[in-house]
């Protein structure tokens, strides 16, 4: 599988000529003019965050609002990451080698029908047209063949899958299991595959108080531009371990040298499931804590971060409880940090329910 990434990108560069464009398919199936189908399918660009550090820090330092034992603000953030569970019936299983690796919306399946040499769409045995599940064509036997073929399809679908990153995610039934093929990161939620990432809480201690380094994402980011984020976070691509990925992201996103980042501690995981339209996100985030030197100042190396601020942990908690300034899944990881470092305690009403909710997704 060493050639998997290279073969995917070469395949994505030139989709098969026999594949019709997704806009033509959409126009034909919805009986819309081609131009109308194009405007219908185009994804709007992500809106930039409308707040600045002054707004965030003002909310953070305001200790006069609400009761710290009130967990309702945290519950709302968990719910934001776990939307649409009543829509699960609109999805069918995506199977490879008799293993369920994802879920595909019945509407999105219609965009895959013309790719009959890549996907096999199984219908009901009673003669109905009801889709039961989707699998890959039996002629696609190796991971490389599957990666190439599905990559061609994704290229042909064009703007139906926005934000292509040219980054591959491994397709497995669960973490650590055999990799059946690899899939473009942006396409992961459209196939409902389980995606993994690493998120790091970078903190320092000064005079008995803990502070979190918080990043503000670049306004140029494709997703969640301008929102607050962890000091270090990133998806887990194919062919790299969690530890090495965390070390790599530390250097790229915050300028943290290996001599420091190698001291990061793996402390567990959070998970969530989020359904919106054709997208079914099933994410597991491996969480790390890194205690940094008190005089350390992060420096972004890859252009994805606008700036950093060092914030007392209770102030970061206030931002989570009272605003939507953080990238949604970051809230879960910081709430987990609050539990583990004693900022939330069992006397808070809903303590156990909130703790359990941080792994609402399929954490496997």
């Amino acid at each position: 599988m060493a050639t998997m990434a290279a073969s995917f990108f070469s395949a994505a560069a030139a989709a098969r000529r026999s594949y019709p464009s997704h806009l033509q398919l959409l126009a034909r199936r919805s009986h819309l003019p081609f131009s109308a189908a194009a405007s219908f399918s185009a994804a709007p660009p992500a809106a930039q965050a409308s707040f600045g550090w002054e707004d965030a820090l003002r909310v953070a330092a305001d200790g006069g609002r609400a009761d710290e034992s009130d967990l309702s603000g945290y519950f709302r953030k968990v719910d934001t990451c776990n939307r649409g569970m009543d829509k699960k019936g609109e999805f069918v299983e995506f199977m490879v080698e008799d293993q369920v690796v994802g879920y595909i919306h019945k509407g999105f399946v219609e965009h895959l029908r013309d790719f009959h040499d890549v996907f096999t769409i199984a219908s009901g045995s009673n003669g109905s047209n009801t889709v039961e599940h989707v699998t890959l064509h039996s002629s696609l036997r190796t991971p490389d063949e599957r990666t190439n073929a599905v990559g061609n399809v994704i290229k042909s679908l064009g703007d139906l899958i926005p934000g292509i990153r040219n980054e591959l995610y491994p397709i497995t039934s669960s973490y650590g299991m055999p990799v059946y093929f690899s899939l473009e990161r942006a396409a992961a939620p459209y196939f409902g595959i389980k995606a993994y990432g690493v998120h790091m809480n970078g903190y320092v201690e000064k005079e008995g108080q803990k502070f979190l380094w918080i990043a503000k994402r670049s306004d140029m980011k494709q997703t969640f531009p301008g929102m607050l984020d962890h000091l270090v976070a990133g998806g887990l691509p194919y062919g790299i371990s969690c530890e090495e990925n965390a070390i790599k992201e530390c250097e790229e996103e915050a300028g943290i040298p290996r001599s420091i980042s190698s001291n990061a501690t793996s402390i567990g995981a959070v998970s969530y499931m989020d359904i919106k339209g054709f997208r079914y996100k099933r994410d597991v985030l491996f969480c790390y804590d890194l205690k940094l030197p008190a005089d350390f100042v992060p420096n972004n190396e890859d252009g994805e971060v606008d700036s950093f601020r060092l914030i007392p942990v209770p102030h970061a908690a206030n931002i989570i409880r009272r605003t939507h300034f953080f990238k949604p899944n970051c809230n879960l990881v910081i709430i987990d940090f609050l539990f583990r470092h004693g900022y939330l305690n069992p006397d808070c009403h809903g303590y156990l329910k909130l703790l359990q909710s941080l792994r609402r997704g399929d954490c496997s």
Side-chain angles (χ1 to χ4, degrees):
M1 295 175 63
T3 61
M4 187 175 293
S7 57
F8 171 83
F9 297 134
S10 61
R16 299 178 187 177
R17 293 180 181 178
S18 61
Y19 288 178
S21 76
H22 83 286
L23 296 180
Q24 291 168 331
L25 289 175
L26 181 61
R28 185 168 75 243
R29 290 173 182 151
S30 58
H31 307 291
L32 292 171
F34 182 82
S35 59
S39 62
F40 174 81
S41 65
Q48 292 184 6
S50 57
F51 68 89
W53 277 117
E54 288 187 4
D55 303 303
L57 296 177
R58 182 171 58 252
V59 172
D62 182 3
R65 297 170 52 194
D67 180 356
E68 289 186 1
S69 66
D70 180 8
L71 305 183
S72 59
Y74 301 130
F75 277 111
R76 286 193 292 272
K77 301 308 182 296
V78 173
D79 289 342
T80 297
C81 289
N82 292 275
R83 302 168 299 175
M85 290 301 101
D86 57 325
K87 305 293 184 182
K88 289 177 68 174
E90 299 177 6
F91 291 76
V92 297
E93 293 177 343
F94 177 36
M95 304 181 68
V96 180
E97 297 185 13
D98 298 323
Q99 297 294 315
V100 176
V101 298
Y103 298 89
I104 305 177
H105 193 278
K106 295 174 184 177
F108 191 77
V109 170
E110 297 306 308
H111 294 285
L112 305 179
R113 285 190 180 278
D114 285 74
F115 307 102
H116 48 78
D117 56 344
V118 178
F119 297 102
T120 298
I121 300 171
S123 299
S125 58
N126 59 359
S128 69
N129 291 324
T130 304
V131 176
E132 288 194 345
H133 68 267
V134 177
T135 188
L136 295 178
H137 195 276
S138 59
S139 65
L140 302 173
R141 299 181 181 276
T142 70
D144 278 352
E145 289 173 346
R146 295 164 180 165
T147 299
N148 289 336
V150 177
N152 282 330
V153 172
I154 293 168
K155 177 66 176 180
S156 295
L157 292 176
D159 290 340
L160 190 64
I161 300 178
I164 298 298
R165 303 189 185 194
N166 293 329
E167 182 178 338
L168 294 176
Y169 272 6
I171 308 304
T172 68
S173 58
S174 60
Y175 186 72
M177 298 301 288
V179 176
Y180 298 116
F181 70 102
S182 291
L183 179 70
E184 157 62 39
R185 176 176 179 174
Y190 293 91
F191 290 85
I193 70 159
K194 199 173 295 180
Y196 301 89
V198 294
H199 279 235
M200 180 176 291
N201 300 293
Y203 72 99
V204 302
E205 291 186 0
K206 295 181 179 181
E207 299 179 354
Q209 186 177 6
K210 291 179 181 176
F211 297 75
L212 278 170
W213 276 108
I214 303 297
K216 193 172 191 296
R217 293 162 69 88
S218 166
D219 288 338
M220 299 296 104
K221 288 282 288 182
Q222 290 181 332
T223 56
F224 305 103
M227 297 194 75
L228 301 186
D229 204 336
H230 278 104
L231 175 65
V232 172
L236 185 63
Y238 174 74
I240 187 172
S241 69
C242 284
E243 181 180 0
E244 281 301 315
N245 195 40
I247 291 173
K248 177 181 73 70
E249 295 288 350
C250 276
E251 184 173 358
E252 293 177 355
E253 296 192 350
I256 304 174
R258 179 180 285 265
S259 59
I260 295 177
S261 61
S262 59
N263 295 320
T265 303
S266 171
I267 46 77
V270 300
S271 61
Y272 57 95
M273 296 188 293
D274 184 57
I275 293 175
K276 184 178 182 181
F278 288 169
R279 297 162 51 88
Y280 189 168
K281 288 180 65 64
R282 300 193 302 142
D283 290 357
V284 178
L285 307 180
F286 295 105
C287 305
Y288 288 78
D289 282 355
L290 177 61
K291 185 177 179 180
L292 292 159
D295 59 353
F296 175 81
V297 177
N299 178 50
N300 179 245
E301 303 285 348
D302 62 7
E304 295 189 356
V305 175
D306 173 76
S307 52
F308 299 92
R309 292 290 188 278
L310 187 62
I311 299 177
V313 172
H315 289 191
N318 285 343
I319 296 174
I320 291 174
R321 292 165 58 205
R322 300 169 181 171
T323 76
H324 293 277
F325 291 172
F326 271 101
K327 179 173 173 281
N329 61 2
C330 295
N331 291 313
L332 305 187
V333 181
I334 296 177
I335 293 171
D336 178 71
F337 181 92
L338 298 177
F339 273 107
R340 292 182 294 98
H341 289 260
Y343 292 92
L344 300 176
N345 65 73
D347 292 330
C348 300
H349 179 68
Y351 177 89
L352 290 177
K353 183 179 180 181
L354 180 62
L355 181 63
Q356 186 179 41
S357 74
L358 298 180
R359 294 155 189 88
R360 193 178 290 179
D362 182 2
C363 202
S364 67

